[in-house]
Amino acid sequence: MIKNYLRSTFRNIKRHPFISFINIFGLTVGLTCCLLILSYIINERSYDKFNANAKDIRRVTRIFYSGKNVESLHLSAIAPPFGPLLQSAFPDIKKITRVLPIRTTAFHYKNKLFNEETSVFAEENFFDFFTVPVVEGDRNNALKEPYSIMLSEAMAKKYFGDADPINKGIFLDNMFLGKINHDFKVTGVFKAFPANSHMHPDILMSFSTLKDPAMYGANNLANDFGGNAFFTYLLFPKDYNTDRIESQLPDFLDKYVHLGGMASNAKTHDGTKLTFEKLTDIHLRSHLDDEFEENGDIKRVYIFSAIALFILLIACINYMNLSTARSVLRAKEIGIRKVIGAQRKEIISQFLSESVLVTWFALALAMAATAFLLPMINHLENTNLAFNSLLQWQILVPVLALPFVIGLISGIYPAIFMSSFLPVKVLKGIIKTGSGAVSFRKVLVVLQFSISIILIVATTVVYRQLQYIQKTDLGFSKDAVLTMGYVGQLHPQYDAFKVDLLKNAAIKEVARSSRIPSGRLLDFQNGSVLVDGVMKPIKGDLKFISTDYDFIPTYGMKMAAGRNFSKDFPTDNNNFIVNEAAVRSLGWKTPQNAIGKDIIYGDTRGKIIGIVRDFHFESLHQAITPLLFQLPSNNGYHVMSVKVNSRNVQAAVSSLQATWHKYLPDAPFDFTFLDDKFRQLYNSEQQQGSLFTIFSCIAIFIACLGLFGLSAFTITQRVKEIGVRKILGASVQQIVLVLSKDFLLLVFISAVIAIPVAGWSMHKWLADFAFHTDMSWWIFAAAGIIALIIAFVTISFQSIKAAFANPVKSLRSE
């Protein structure tokens, strides 16, 4: 039986090579897209699951409220005392571990100086949480002693080459809550964290080092509830339900924590909250204000899953359409089979088997294409997709079963339809496909092009949003601005450093600040403002950054009222500048009304001396945040910004580097262009735009491939009609129009159906941006017109060929 099915399948492929090619090629392309997207989904959903206890690990996050249930900040890192206190208060917690990332850090080894950005302080039980192989050293004790350090294999190679790194010393020279100059002893080497980890540290320093008063201090580790920089993880018993503990966290906060600036009768949990987050949810479902690294997005997984199904559906529709359309060619075969005794269920089994076998062949081609394309995609999109992920038995078994599902879906209708032919009529040549079959094929064509038009609209909207992002006036100048970490050792000699820099005409401005545009605004303090002669608490969310006198001029920000900070006014150390959003938030009608108003922010009381016009400090995903500028009472700067001449950037960089090494000979020189930072904010959207474009083209191509085959087959069935029309005087244009209008009508109906769906879905996508482009009517009109043009070109190839054919030949054959 199976041998007969195989023979019949290959005989039909050989007999009808054109339609067979379209079916196999369409299914191969569709399955290849599905496998590529499947490898992406597998990778995204695999994050952190390599850890042995992944299901039982929770990360503690912290929410701050600026008013009753008004969330102003949600941090993925918390203050250091919380971890030990949680374990003490809730004995069911088996273990806790804390990880403290640090900014760019300078390490010395012999005469080499290195600038590292992937360094963390980690507790000695770190490897009980994160299952990373330790190549050298004792995984349980390597981080136990103060000033111990572990390196990744790549980092050990970088510092020591092929020499054994164990017990060798690396000198840390950095400003971190005080000046650090200390040797760290290498106590272990570990393999690099897998690509599917939410963190990728290359250097682990012992957490016990932080107890040194020169570092963080044991007292601060135990009592500082404001230093929310420590990523804290909890290990629970297997399959433990954490809801009970989470419900007790408000009482826990009230017992152990008191926030400054709160009313005497207020409870701590009214101002802040702790939550638990599954380790395996971090990558796709956590989008907090200070993530360890950039995360993925579960919405993107859903979008690409839908696209994969859409493309596969289009390929299946091609198979169904062409199989039913060529039923006339196999009618006599079916009739003879029935005459010699074949039952309907046997004929259905035959056609379903053919469909499954064709899909199996297409899957084999798709697997080979996927293995070939994945390295190129990884290179172009900077991803780490692996073909081996498809070979896991949990994935491979469903993939190998896919041809049965697709084959049945694609072949069920053609099988039932063709098995219904009556042998007497078929053998007499009386074949009528029936209006039902024609109508169903039309529905399938409409569905194909509806999907294609939705993807065209999505591609256009994403592209327009990216263009909007690039062209939007941010309210300041980001071009030709270099940013670099501000080293504390520079502070005593900063004025001389700045004077030396500005001697070079290629350097225009120099400024310092706690944060720079492109980052998130995370810093805020409680405050109060003068209202009707009474100081009342600030109800809204008012973030702040510390700046020097030159920050606003360096970024070319415009003043809406008042003035910038000035050294001519010594009282400016206690005064403030706010943006227009803050003016509105604090209740003043105009910027002029705010000038001179008293305000208390944190521990400082002063006046508002200037209003900056609103600008986009954060990405366009976020609304403009009410913002306050202040001069720090001590060295509160973390970043330095240098405005250079855009026509002489190289000279400016060379001068900056020379001056840097003059004042900081032991500190590595490193910088980033600000416009590069802004581009990185929209990497996700750039990738979505590229992938939408690719998949839209593929979907349209597969749909046109089916339309090409269907029109070719339909036209061959109307050869006699075309010959009669030509003899009666019809022109080529009239014949092309007659042959094309039915298909073009279907595409027009597709547009009518697709446009509302596309409009709704892209409206939801744009809702993630506080500032976005408009969806103009012409986007939808253009998508429909593009689909019509593509369909017309596809059909016209066959229509024109038929219109120019000699009518005598077609009529003589009758």
Side-chain angles (χ1 to χ4, degrees):
M1 181 76 71
I2 296 175
K3 186 177 180 180
N4 287 335
Y5 288 162
L6 283 169
R7 186 184 298 118
S8 175
T9 299
F10 289 114
R11 186 186 297 133
N12 276 287
I13 290 174
K14 188 176 180 180
R15 186 181 299 166
H16 309 293
F18 177 67
I19 290 179
S20 298
F21 169 77
I22 290 177
N23 273 333
I24 293 173
F25 186 67
L27 283 172
T28 300
V29 174
L31 284 166
T32 301
C33 290
C34 284
L35 291 175
L36 290 172
I37 293 176
L38 179 60
S39 64
Y40 163 77
I41 293 170
I42 292 170
N43 180 69
E44 289 294 288
R45 296 186 69 89
S46 70
Y47 267 71
D48 293 304
K49 291 181 180 178
F50 65 89
N51 297 299
N53 298 313
K55 292 182 179 179
D56 303 310
I57 296 174
R58 301 293 186 270
R59 184 175 71 174
V60 189
T61 72
R62 187 176 186 183
I63 299 173
F64 287 90
Y65 298 103
S66 58
K68 187 173 180 58
N69 298 322
V70 180
E71 184 178 312
S72 64
L73 196 62
H74 193 168
L75 301 175
S76 54
I78 62 173
F82 280 122
L85 286 174
L86 283 167
Q87 189 173 24
S88 174
F90 304 105
D92 285 352
I93 298 174
K94 293 174 64 177
K95 295 180 182 179
I96 69 104
T97 199
R98 292 168 290 181
V99 179
L100 176 65
I102 58 176
R103 298 188 306 274
T104 301
T105 309
F107 286 97
H108 293 260
Y109 177 65
K110 294 185 176 178
N111 60 344
K112 298 178 184 177
L113 180 63
F114 300 96
N115 218 22
E116 305 297 355
E117 297 182 352
T118 54
S119 307
V120 304
F121 286 97
E123 295 203 83
E124 59 185 283
N125 63 358
F126 179 83
F127 292 104
D128 294 338
F129 286 75
F130 303 103
T131 312
V132 179
V134 174
V135 180
E136 294 186 66
D138 183 352
R139 63 182 293 117
N140 296 318
N141 296 306
L143 293 173
K144 186 174 183 179
E145 297 299 325
Y147 296 102
S148 301
I149 191 169
M150 296 183 73
L151 307 175
S152 68
E153 288 180 307
M155 202 61 65
K157 182 80 172 176
K158 175 180 175 180
Y159 280 79
F160 304 105
D162 295 328
D164 184 6
I166 299 300
N167 293 324
K168 287 187 169 61
I170 298 178
F171 190 74
L172 174 66
D173 184 3
N174 187 48
M175 171 63 76
F176 179 72
L177 301 179
K179 188 174 182 180
I180 300 175
N181 293 286
H182 207 288
D183 275 314
F184 279 73
K185 184 174 73 172
V186 178
T187 54
V189 177
F190 58 91
K191 284 191 174 293
F193 276 68
N196 58 344
S197 172
H198 78 283
M199 69 165 87
H200 295 89
D202 281 315
I203 296 177
L204 305 176
M205 294 178 284
S206 57
F207 197 88
S208 57
T209 306
L210 293 173
K211 294 178 181 179
D212 188 327
M215 301 286 280
Y216 200 92
N219 184 60
N220 283 332
L221 287 174
N223 299 294
D224 180 14
F225 288 97
N228 296 291
F230 294 75
F231 291 87
T232 304
Y233 304 86
L234 312 178
L235 177 61
F236 287 92
K238 188 173 180 60
D239 300 324
Y240 186 86
N241 186 345
T242 62
D243 292 346
R244 182 182 64 83
I245 292 181
E246 284 195 80
S247 66
Q248 299 177 51
L249 290 179
D251 292 334
F252 166 84
L253 287 170
D254 293 340
K255 179 178 180 180
Y256 289 104
V257 184
H258 178 72
L259 296 179
M262 295 185 65
S264 57
N265 61 344
K267 294 186 176 181
T268 301
H269 73 261
D270 293 329
T272 189
K273 176 182 178 181
L274 297 180
T275 66
F276 292 163
E277 182 177 47
K278 292 180 180 178
L279 180 68
T280 52
D281 282 350
I282 291 174
H283 179 67
L284 288 178
R285 301 179 187 276
S286 179
H287 306 285
L288 306 185
D289 293 314
D290 62 337
E291 293 291 353
F292 217 116
E293 297 178 6
E294 181 182 357
N295 285 337
D297 193 339
I298 191 65
K299 292 180 183 177
R300 208 179 312 157
V301 171
Y302 293 150
I303 288 171
F304 290 131
S305 299
I307 289 174
L309 293 175
F310 285 160
I311 290 176
L312 190 58
L313 179 60
I314 290 174
C316 291
I317 289 171
N318 278 355
Y319 189 94
M320 297 170 72
N321 268 340
L322 294 175
S323 296
T324 53
R326 70 174 180 172
S327 58
V328 176
L329 302 178
R330 302 190 65 180
K332 288 186 178 181
E333 174 195 340
I334 296 167
I336 292 172
R337 284 181 179 275
K338 283 195 170 185
V339 167
I340 63 177
Q343 297 181 8
R344 186 176 185 185
K345 64 180 181 179
E346 292 172 334
I347 294 173
I348 291 175
S349 297
Q350 175 194 338
F351 286 113
L352 288 178
S353 298
E354 288 182 11
S355 177
V356 170
L357 288 170
V358 167
T359 311
W360 260 101
F361 184 57
L363 177 63
L365 294 175
M367 293 287 280
T370 301
F372 174 75
L373 291 172
L374 272 179
M376 297 191 326
I377 291 173
N378 285 335
H379 176 71
L380 292 173
E381 297 294 334
N382 194 28
T383 55
N384 294 284
L385 307 183
F387 183 76
N388 288 341
S389 65
L390 299 174
L391 302 181
Q392 305 171 64
W393 71 266
Q394 305 97 318
I395 305 299
L396 188 59
V397 170
V399 167
L400 294 178
L402 199 59
F404 292 99
V405 178
I406 296 173
L408 291 175
I409 292 173
S410 303
I412 190 66
Y413 178 75
I416 293 173
F417 172 69
M418 287 187 280
S419 67
S420 67
F421 291 169
L422 297 175
V424 175
K425 292 185 177 181
V426 166
L427 295 177
K428 285 182 179 180
I430 306 172
I431 304 170
K432 185 179 180 181
T433 58
S435 59
V438 174
S439 298
F440 188 66
R441 287 207 299 273
K442 289 180 178 178
V443 169
L444 295 178
V445 171
V446 167
L447 181 58
Q448 279 185 314
F449 275 90
S450 293
I451 294 171
S452 300
I453 291 168
I454 290 171
L455 290 174
I456 292 173
V457 171
T459 301
T460 307
V461 172
V462 171
Y463 176 78
R464 277 176 53 84
Q465 178 62 16
L466 290 173
Q467 290 293 105
Y468 177 84
I469 288 169
Q470 293 170 4
K471 295 179 180 179
T472 295
D473 181 8
L474 298 177
F476 65 93
S477 174
K478 64 180 175 60
D479 298 324
V481 175
L482 283 66
T483 65
M484 50 202 308
Y486 183 71
V487 180
Q489 291 95 316
L490 183 61
H491 193 62
Q493 47 191 346
Y494 174 76
D495 289 338
F497 171 81
K498 178 184 169 184
V499 169
D500 275 0
L501 278 183
L502 294 177
K503 288 177 181 177
N504 190 319
I507 297 177
K508 301 167 72 173
E509 300 280 356
V510 185
R512 298 166 295 175
S513 59
S514 56
R515 297 185 184 274
I516 56 171
S518 76
R520 293 302 308 272
L521 289 165
L522 304 180
D523 306 315
F524 78 99
Q525 299 183 50
N526 293 315
S528 54
V529 65
L530 186 65
V531 179
D532 298 329
V534 180
M535 298 299 292
K536 295 184 178 180
I538 296 173
K539 296 181 179 179
D541 185 19
L542 183 60
K543 302 290 175 63
F544 81 93
I545 60 172
S546 298
T547 69
D548 64 7
Y549 299 95
D550 304 302
F551 182 82
I552 290 175
T554 297
Y555 282 94
M557 297 170 183
K558 306 298 182 184
M559 302 299 295
R563 60 175 176 84
N564 184 26
F565 295 120
S566 173
K567 293 181 178 179
D568 295 334
F569 297 89
T571 56
D572 278 359
N573 287 321
N574 292 323
N575 289 333
F576 306 98
I577 295 173
V578 297
N579 64 355
E580 291 175 305
V583 170
R584 294 188 294 271
S585 175
L586 295 172
W588 295 303
K589 293 182 179 180
T590 67
Q592 288 74 18
N593 292 147
I595 298 298
K597 293 295 191 296
D598 289 326
I599 183 173
I600 298 174
Y601 194 76
D603 298 326
T604 304
R605 178 166 187 153
K607 295 183 181 294
I608 295 175
I609 60 169
I611 312 297
V612 172
R613 292 194 183 278
D614 281 340
F615 64 96
H616 294 278
F617 193 101
E618 301 170 301
S619 81
L620 297 186
H621 285 284
Q622 281 80 38
I624 295 177
T625 303
L627 180 62
L628 176 143
F629 300 84
Q630 65 179 9
L631 298 171
S633 56
N634 51 24
N635 178 19
Y637 306 121
H638 303 311
V639 193
M640 187 166 64
S641 305
V642 182
K643 180 77 172 179
V644 302
N645 189 326
S646 58
R647 291 175 294 182
N648 204 0
V649 174
Q650 190 56 52
V653 172
S654 298
S655 175
L656 178 58
Q657 183 175 14
T659 307
W660 177 272
H661 286 310
K662 174 183 175 182
Y663 286 87
L664 300 165
D666 295 329
F669 175 74
D670 190 27
F671 70 91
T672 305
F673 284 101
L674 185 66
D675 52 3
D676 287 339
K677 287 180 174 288
F678 270 93
R679 271 193 291 271
Q680 291 171 6
L681 293 177
Y682 308 106
N683 279 342
S684 172
E685 286 73 24
Q686 293 283 1
Q687 287 185 344
Q688 283 188 30
S690 300
L691 292 172
F692 268 129
T693 302
I694 292 169
F695 290 127
S696 296
C697 292
I698 291 172
I700 294 167
F701 173 74
I702 298 175
C704 289
L705 198 64
L707 189 61
F708 183 82
L710 192 58
S711 62
F713 183 84
T714 303
I715 288 169
T716 59
Q717 304 303 304
R718 299 177 68 178
V719 168
K720 184 171 68 172
E721 175 194 337
I722 294 168
V724 171
R725 286 180 180 275
K726 289 197 74 173
I727 287 175
L728 293 177
S731 65
V732 172
Q733 292 87 346
Q734 288 173 324
I735 292 174
V736 170
L737 183 60
V738 167
L739 295 175
S740 304
K741 66 179 182 180
D742 289 342
F743 289 110
L744 294 180
L745 178 61
L746 297 180
V747 178
F748 178 78
I749 294 171
S750 301
V752 172
I753 294 171
I755 285 172
V757 177
W760 174 83
S761 59
M762 295 317 295
H763 175 76
K764 298 286 286 183
W765 184 79
L766 287 173
D768 285 339
F769 293 86
F771 299 88
H772 55 76
T773 185
D774 295 325
M775 287 193 293
S776 305
W777 64 269
W778 66 262
I779 296 175
F780 304 100
I785 292 170
I786 290 170
L788 283 168
I789 291 172
I790 293 173
F792 182 72
V793 170
T794 303
I795 298 163
S796 295
F797 181 84
Q798 296 290 343
S799 302
I800 293 171
K801 182 180 176 182
F804 276 108
N806 188 345
V808 176
K809 290 183 178 180
S810 60
L811 295 177
R812 183 184 296 164
S813 64
E814 296 294 320

